Amino acid sequence: MTKFLLAVHVLAAIVAIGPVTVAASMFPPAARRALAAPDDARAAETVQLLHRICRVYAGVGIAVPVFGFLTAGAMGVLGDAWLIASVVLTVLAALVLVVLVLPRQEILAEGTTGDGSGTGTGTGTGGTATHEATRAATVQLAMFTGIFNLLWATVTVLMIVRPGSTTGA
């Protein structure tokens, strides 16, 4: 049963977290392009699609810690330091995604809909100021996305290396 749970946990991580990290990384430059060309429907559709991928797969990603805890319980490693560190980093990654990445994507994505609501950056001043605000918003989003990705990369390494584990690596 442990091997089955581990396989589902790993597959869930690949299928759910992989698309979020890729789509979230692609979002800031796509948003810059779409906001710079408000008449480009394809650019706006790309931004909307990337945001939808992030939202949907973030929800699917809940399966990763669920099966992770089931696997850890079956392996008897719930109290191991590497697992506790992984859990803490996973919670941090989820918080970064839900609190810092997805809401900023939503604001920028709304600015690409062409409904006259502005750039989604909250400036509404037009011209160079709007361009700078858009750039600043996408750069900040890229930073938060990078933090999210680094947290997940660290969790992945901890899951593979399992420092101090007696179950072998």
Side-chain angles (χ1 to χ4, degrees):
M1 185 63 154
T2 301
K3 289 181 181 182
F4 170 76
L5 291 172
L6 181 59
V8 172
H9 172 62
V10 170
L11 287 171
I14 291 167
V15 170
I17 306 305
V20 174
T21 58
V22 172
S25 296
M26 292 173 65
F27 187 94
R32 273 192 295 275
R33 282 190 300 275
L35 292 167
D39 295 332
D40 186 352
R42 188 172 176 102
E45 290 167 0
T46 299
V47 169
Q48 298 295 326
L49 176 64
L50 291 171
H51 179 56
R52 188 169 43 253
I53 289 169
C54 290
R55 272 195 342 262
V56 169
Y57 281 94
V60 174
I62 293 169
V64 176
V66 168
F67 282 98
F69 276 116
L70 292 172
T71 303
M75 293 174 66
V77 295
L78 283 171
D80 286 10
W82 64 270
L83 184 69
I84 294 168
S86 294
V87 168
V88 168
L89 293 174
T90 297
V91 168
L92 286 174
L95 285 172
V96 168
L97 182 64
V98 171
V99 174
L100 300 173
V101 174
L102 292 177
R104 283 169 173 77
Q105 283 185 350
E106 181 76 27
I107 290 167
L108 288 165
E110 286 173 359
T112 66
T113 60
D115 61 2
S117 63
T119 63
T121 61
T123 63
T125 59
T128 304
T130 301
H131 173 72
E132 290 303 317
T134 298
R135 176 151 176 71
T138 57
V139 166
Q140 186 180 52
L141 176 59
M143 176 189 69
F144 291 136
T145 300
I147 291 168
F148 169 77
N149 290 342
L150 284 172
L151 287 167
W152 273 114
T154 304
V155 169
T156 301
V157 169
L158 283 171
M159 291 288 158
I160 293 168
V161 175
R162 297 184 283 174
S165 173
T166 59
T167 60

